[in-house]
Amino acid sequence: VTPPRSERGAYHHGDLANALTKAATDLARTGGPEAVVLREAARQVGVSPTAAYRHFAGHGELIDAVKQYALTRLAAAMEIELAAAPAVPDRAEDAYRRLAALGLGYVRFAFSEPGLFRTAFCRSEKPPEAAGITAADTRPYQFLSEVLDDLVAVGALDEVRREHAELVVWSTVHGLAVLLLEGPLRQLPEEAREAVVARAIAFVRDGLTVPRTMQS
Amino acid sequence: VTPPRSERGAYHHGDLANALTKAATDLARTGGPEAVVLREAARQVGVSPTAAYRHFAGHGELIDAVKQYALTRLAAAMEIELAAAPAVPDRAEDAYRRLAALGLGYVRFAFSEPGLFRTAFCRSEKPPEAAGITAADTRPYQFLSEVLDDLVAVGALDEVRREHAELVVWSTVHGLAVLLLEGPLRQLPEEAREAVVARAIAFVRDGLTVPRTMQS
DNA sequence: TGTACATCAGTGAACGCGCGTTCACTGATGTAC
DNA sequence: TGTACATCAGTGAACGCGCGTTCACTGATGTAC
């Protein structure tokens, strides 16, 4: 069965590396990391499996490329959400607003692209920081750090609570996405899900806020 | 190569279902859900792969048995931690103590038995509630609910914050375990890890506590 | 401007692997009479 | 108490599958002269 490779017999594809990554990404989008299969990606591009080895060391490198892409998409989703809500004058209030936006972007991405989300966090052969940048170098992570710093500057967050706050906040949001998406809580009706998400975001705010003598 | 099946030729094993589950559990313990392979479990018990089909419908049922066991072990770890710390007289304080114990039991189990923990939450073929009991019927979940109710009774938690609190708390602790264990944060040095866990638990307490006019 | 040739980017067939599962079977067990 | 026989719990060989990967190759491209 001759695959329907585009038009005039292009023996040299010209951009095979990208085409394969794209195909692999589509597989991941549909079926998660398990669905990223080198042979299938080649099949979809209309190329022999061997050809992939001109551009990737093997399956591991291919899936790492997808992973990288998925992480980029997640970051983009967060940044979009960040830019969506208008800034508010009060500095503390604006920090909370940005915090909520980052969290919302995270879980919304998880739900709109479950396959990519799962791929972004799937185990890969090589250790995480060898795979590329470490999480802390990532833009959303830095935005989160900034938000936390702002909360400190404004007096809403004390130094003890500031410590490791990135990871703790991340954990809440990540755990929420995982439990709702693939954990024992999938199948939760959509409205309940959204209520939980809203509650979780408020919970994060409360957990970071240092007790005050008077509640505003 | 004749497998070393125990002593006198026991053609009938007598307890093969349990033996296979145990072998499969050991595989999961070592290598996580991916390592649960029907043929290998049979091999370790010293029995032909076909024999397994007398006791399990197939691979799916075998891994579900392991999953069930892993969840039971997780629950046990939490209950042990719960019983470890002595009760304190103040009711609110005791609720916080129990809350911390449940969370600590959760992440400690994840770290002491990473393979089982991963298996407990791996995707299985059949939908979660068909696999057996739903999460809410589980003892630790009920303990958590009780703790939250106590916090309400004591005035530390208002009704708005009470809603969905189980899931939110669970998310934080689960996300923490996942990120530290298999996520981008594995390889975190142990002491940093423990500091993060401690911080997360305090964060949960703060996130649940309703603001007071005076801080105790 | 044309040609020789190195290099690049593909092909196609095949390998070995180990899995889950099925088939027809046989050895052991226990129950009815 | 002994024997016939149904049932149960195993065996062993084989199936098909699809994967990742390697091999020797060939068609296309571009550069030197």
Side-chain angles (χ1 to χ4, degrees):
Chain A
V1 188
T2 300
R5 182 121 60 85
S6 58
E7 299 316 318
R8 290 122 359 109
Y11 188 95
H12 285 96
H13 182 283
D15 197 23
L16 189 52
N18 281 327
L20 286 170
T21 305
K22 170 116 178 45
T25 299
D26 285 343
L27 293 172
R29 206 190 310 271
T30 308
E34 313 85 44
V36 176
V37 164
L38 185 143
R39 294 182 79 105
E40 179 61 27
R43 223 170 279 138
Q44 296 204 353
V45 175
V47 120
S48 74
T50 325
Y53 288 82
R54 291 279 160 200
H55 305 274
F56 299 93
H59 176 260
E61 257 188 21
L62 180 61
I63 201 168
D64 277 346
V66 177
K67 205 171 154 163
Q68 206 59 39
Y69 171 79
L71 286 167
T72 304
R73 285 287 312 275
L74 171 58
M78 293 170 77
E79 296 198 29
I80 286 172
E81 203 77 39
L82 198 56
V88 297
D90 182 70
R91 193 172 173 192
E93 221 44 58
D94 194 64
Y96 287 136
R97 184 213 107 227
R98 284 177 287 150
L99 184 63
L102 289 170
L104 214 58
Y106 199 93
V107 322
R108 283 199 177 150
F109 177 76
F111 274 94
S112 67
E113 290 284 14
L116 289 184
F117 181 79
R118 283 175 49 221
T119 308
F121 292 100
C122 75
R123 298 168 85 76
S124 65
E125 295 162 11
K126 41 184 177 183
E129 62 280 350
I133 51 184
T134 171
D137 294 336
T138 240
R139 286 170 55 99
Y141 192 94
Q142 286 172 349
F143 287 138
L144 177 56
S145 291
E146 281 171 28
V147 169
L148 296 169
D149 287 340
D150 280 8
L151 287 173
V152 171
V154 135
L157 185 58
D158 62 25
E159 288 194 2
V160 171
R161 287 180 171 79
R162 173 65 184 84
E163 205 152 10
H164 301 121
E166 286 92 345
L167 299 194
V168 170
V169 170
W170 187 5
S171 292
T172 304
V173 165
H174 186 76
L176 190 64
V178 167
L179 287 181
L180 291 177
L181 197 68
E182 35 170 349
L185 266 44
R186 67 190 129 135
Q187 333 258 49
L188 205 68
E190 181 168 343
E191 50 188 52
R193 211 178 62 207
E194 290 189 353
V196 174
V197 171
R199 190 82 277 289
I201 287 177
F203 166 84
V204 168
R205 189 207 334 97
D206 292 345
L208 289 178
T209 303
V210 74
R212 319 185 191 180
T213 33
M214 284 303 289
Q215 177 69 357
S216 67
Chain B
V1 188
T2 300
R5 185 119 61 85
S6 60
E7 299 315 318
R8 290 118 4 106
Y11 187 95
H12 286 94
H13 182 283
D15 196 23
L16 189 51
N18 281 327
L20 285 171
T21 304
K22 170 118 179 42
T25 300
D26 285 344
L27 293 173
R29 207 190 309 273
T30 308
E34 313 85 44
V36 177
V37 163
L38 185 145
R39 294 182 79 104
E40 179 60 27
R43 222 170 280 140
Q44 296 204 352
V45 174
V47 118
S48 73
T50 322
Y53 287 81
R54 290 279 160 200
H55 305 275
F56 300 92
H59 176 261
E61 255 188 23
L62 180 61
I63 201 167
D64 276 346
V66 177
K67 203 170 156 163
Q68 206 59 37
Y69 171 79
L71 285 167
T72 305
R73 284 287 313 277
L74 170 59
M78 292 171 77
E79 296 198 28
I80 286 171
E81 203 77 38
L82 199 58
V88 296
D90 181 71
R91 194 172 172 193
E93 222 44 60
D94 194 65
Y96 287 135
R97 185 213 106 228
R98 284 176 287 151
L99 184 63
L102 289 170
L104 215 57
Y106 199 93
V107 322
R108 282 198 177 149
F109 176 75
F111 275 93
S112 67
E113 291 283 16
L116 289 184
F117 180 80
R118 283 176 47 220
T119 308
F121 291 100
C122 74
R123 298 169 85 79
S124 65
E125 294 161 13
K126 41 185 176 182
E129 62 279 352
I133 50 185
T134 172
D137 294 336
T138 240
R139 286 170 55 98
Y141 192 95
Q142 286 172 350
F143 286 137
L144 176 57
S145 291
E146 282 171 27
V147 168
L148 295 169
D149 287 341
D150 279 10
L151 286 174
V152 171
V154 134
L157 184 58
D158 61 26
E159 288 194 3
V160 172
R161 287 178 170 80
R162 174 65 185 86
E163 205 153 9
H164 301 121
E166 287 92 345
L167 299 194
V168 170
V169 170
W170 187 4
S171 291
T172 304
V173 164
H174 186 75
L176 191 64
V178 167
L179 287 181
L180 291 175
L181 198 67
E182 33 171 350
L185 268 43
R186 66 189 130 138
Q187 334 257 50
L188 204 69
E190 182 170 342
E191 52 188 51
R193 210 179 63 208
E194 291 189 353
V196 174
V197 171
R199 190 82 276 287
I201 286 176
F203 166 85
V204 168
R205 191 206 334 96
D206 292 345
L208 290 178
T209 303
V210 75
R212 319 187 192 180
T213 34
M214 286 299 293
Q215 177 69 356
S216 68

